[in-house]
Structure formats: C-alpha cells, structure tokens
Amino acid sequence: MADYEWLSEVRSMVGREYGRIYAWDDVNPAMVRQWCEVMGIENPLYTDPDYAATTEFGELVAPPAMLQAWCLEGLHMNNYPPGSTDENPYGVLKLIESHGYPAVVAVNSELSFERYLKMGEKLYYTTLVKDVSDEKTTGLGTGFFVTLIMSFHSVKAGGDEPVGELLFRVFKFRPAQAAKPAPAAKAEQPAARRPLPGISDDTRFFWEGCEAGELRIQHCKACNKLQHPPAPVCEHCHSFDLDYRVARGTGELYSFVVMHYPEVAPFDHPNPIGLIQLDEGVRLSAGLVGVDRSELKIGQRLKVEFETFDDQLTLPLFRPVSD
C-alpha cells in the first residue's frame, strides 16, 4: 500500500465541510415542467395545479429526483449566485490530480430525500469530503476513490431544514498503460464521388437537360407559369399538364451561404452556395464558381455553366458576369 508524503495533505481534507452553494432560483413550476418534459415524467402532481390541490400536499411539488438540479451552476463553470462560498469543495480532486492522477470516472451516485419540495422554496447545499481511499489498482488504472456528500437544505426563517442528500463517489486515477497494437496497414480508400440525385419521372427532364447543356424549368400548359423544383402537379393551378421551357441561364444572386463545416469530400471548402433568381422569375439553388467569397453581393449578375463530375453527373453552376 503506497503512503506518499503528499497524501497527508489529502487526508487532512477528509471530514472538512465546505460552505453553502445557493440555488439561482427558487423552486418554481416552469423549471419543474421543463424537467418533466425532458425526462418524460407525466405525473400531474408536478405540473397540474388542479390535480395537485386534491392530493395530501394541497399544491404542486417538485420531483424528488430534481434535487441536485436546483443548485447547478448553469452554462458557465463555477458561476454560483451571490452568497455562495468561494471555497472549492473539489480541491481534494485537484490535489490528487497534481500528483499524477489526471483521469476521473464517476463510480456511484446516491440520492436520498427527506420530503417533497414545494414551490417557492430556496435551496442551498454544503459539501463534506467524506472519505479518500488508500491507493487502489483497477482495470482502468491506479488511483484513489473519493467520496463527497452534498447536504441540501431549504432556507427557513426559523432555522434551515434538511431536505435531501447526494453521495457522489469518483475514482481519480492514473490510466493503465495498455499495450499498443501493431498499426494495421491502411487500405487505400477510393476517391469520394459526388452523390447522385434521386431521379423520378417528374425530375428526369431537368437532369437530361443538364447533360444536354440546357437549364430546363418546369412549365404548366394550363396556366403558363413556371415552377422549380419540379413537382408532379402545378403549384399554381394544380394542373397535371406539365412540360418545360429552356431558361436563358441568367439571373441574379438572391441569397447565398459559404459552408465552412462540416468538410465533406469531395466538395471544395469553404463551399459557396447560392440561391439564384432567374430572369424568368423562378429561383433555384446551385454552386457558385469563379467567385471571391469576400466580394459576394446580393443582386450581382450570374450566368449558368455546366460541369460534369465523375463522368456521370452534370450540374448547373453559376459564375458572376459583368453587367
């Protein structure tokens, strides 16, 4: 059993109780409702005031399992309400870490409750360093089991009342050195290819047009209007009598985005994508080429050009042109 000199400082912390950490908010129905929604809890005792009024409590109460949630710091680390202690109750973990035990894993957590919490109660907890084990060796590595106990209280004018307790035990350890397997030979990865579009009877004319160097836009014979993307029925008059018209391929940049992440092969990155307002009045999205991304402007003139990828997919791309 190891007995390092620095362990005396660690053991001196055992039995020390650290000051109060207050809750940011009183126990309230909004947080209870949101917690129940996330956890899938449908007990009306927590969310239905009319039902709760018929119970032994006479009013809404909070789910006991929410106990720890009331005093959490929130999005930002160590962001506790005014009046909370400045002491670090986890200093014992930091001290062990500083002596070469960087890893941590939760071992067990046990909640116990004195009673249900009612709306409007103000909570705080204190932290007791209950125990630090001798050095132990496990499958994970070698280190120390540290047990902390958080005691939760409700602030009362006549004396604060205990409402529950959380026992939290972690293993602070130096990871075991696993034997490294011999690196496997890397299989040569095939070059990524552009994904192919799903082609149906309603869209085939568009893709065949791209192969022929034509920008084909769906046309309704009944109302003489254009629409894109193609559909089985006219979005204007609901006619099924559809064909297409060949657009001039000119228009202006209606909107755009420059995609930086995620980087997906085989697309270039950053990847500028535009929403183009064709001179015929319809809009379509397409890749932008020959552009300076810092100089993209809404309304700038564009013209279509067609490019074939992987010898199997021809796409309409748009390039800026002079007015």
Side-chain angles (χ1 to χ4, degrees):
M1 180 179 66
D3 193 12
Y4 309 112
E5 183 176 346
W6 55 267
L7 276 178
S8 60
E9 184 178 0
V10 170
R11 294 192 174 114
S12 71
M13 297 180 176
V14 175
R16 180 176 177 181
E17 187 168 23
Y18 292 81
R20 300 179 179 186
I21 299 291
Y22 282 96
W24 274 106
D25 301 286
D26 296 348
V27 177
N28 64 85
M31 290 178 66
V32 169
R33 176 181 56 79
Q34 293 170 9
W35 188 91
C36 288
E37 287 178 359
V38 170
M39 301 301 293
I41 304 299
E42 299 180 353
N43 190 337
L45 176 61
Y46 306 137
T47 57
D48 185 341
D50 294 335
Y51 173 83
T54 67
T55 69
E56 61 183 290
F57 304 103
E59 59 181 298
L60 290 174
V61 295
M66 276 191 76
L67 181 62
Q68 184 187 12
W70 295 111
C71 294
L72 293 177
E73 59 212 272
L75 181 62
H76 304 290
M77 185 175 292
N78 298 322
N79 180 34
Y80 294 111
S84 299
T85 181
D86 292 329
E87 298 176 308
N88 182 4
Y90 308 108
V92 64
L93 301 179
K94 291 292 186 183
L95 180 56
I96 294 173
E97 180 176 321
S98 69
H99 289 280
Y101 301 83
V104 64
V105 62
V107 178
N108 62 300
S109 176
E110 300 173 8
L111 271 172
S112 58
F113 317 101
E114 298 293 333
R115 62 169 175 82
Y116 282 88
L117 298 177
K118 296 185 177 182
M119 301 303 114
E121 292 195 72
K122 183 74 171 182
L123 302 186
Y124 68 85
Y125 71 86
T126 59
T127 303
L128 172 69
V129 181
K130 179 67 174 178
D131 183 63
V132 177
S133 74
D134 294 328
E135 188 178 50
K136 306 287 185 181
T137 298
T138 72
L140 291 174
T142 300
F144 302 87
F145 290 91
V146 180
T147 304
L148 305 172
I149 294 180
M150 290 79 160
S151 298
F152 290 79
H153 295 76
S154 177
V155 177
K156 300 290 184 182
D160 299 341
E161 179 183 356
V163 293
E165 186 177 274
L166 169 64
L167 180 148
F168 191 63
R169 182 174 292 118
V170 299
F171 183 47
K172 198 78 173 116
F173 64 101
R174 181 187 298 119
Q177 297 296 318
K180 295 184 179 180
K186 291 185 178 180
E188 186 174 344
Q189 297 294 324
R193 300 165 71 91
R194 292 251 179 172
L196 296 175
I199 298 178
S200 68
D201 290 340
D202 299 314
T203 63
R204 185 170 289 106
F205 76 92
F206 177 82
W207 298 109
E208 290 177 347
C210 291
E211 291 179 0
E214 295 179 348
L215 187 60
R216 297 175 180 177
I217 303 299
Q218 195 169 47
H219 168 258
C220 177
K221 296 180 181 179
C223 68
N224 199 35
K225 291 184 177 180
L226 300 174
Q227 66 180 18
H228 188 85
V233 63
C234 176
E235 66 182 22
H236 305 286
C237 71
H238 301 159
S239 171
F240 290 91
D241 194 8
L242 303 169
D243 60 4
Y244 67 83
R245 295 286 185 266
V246 178
R248 293 188 296 274
T250 54
E252 63 181 37
L253 189 59
Y254 184 84
S255 184
F256 69 91
V257 63
V258 179
M259 184 174 175
H260 293 265
Y261 186 85
E263 295 186 359
V264 179
F267 299 97
D268 296 332
H269 292 90
N271 185 18
I273 302 168
L275 180 62
I276 294 89
Q277 174 96 23
L278 296 177
D279 291 339
E280 288 79 8
V282 296
R283 299 172 190 157
L284 78 163
S285 58
L288 302 175
V289 293
V291 298
D292 184 336
R293 292 183 294 273
S294 64
E295 296 181 1
L296 283 171
K297 293 181 181 179
I298 302 301
Q300 72 183 113
R301 296 293 295 172
L302 304 167
K303 184 176 179 59
V304 73
E305 60 181 53
F306 295 92
E307 184 174 347
T308 300
F309 298 90
D310 308 319
D311 296 323
Q312 62 177 344
L313 175 63
T314 302
L315 294 175
L317 307 175
F318 282 80
R319 181 182 297 273
V321 295
S322 301
D323 294 333

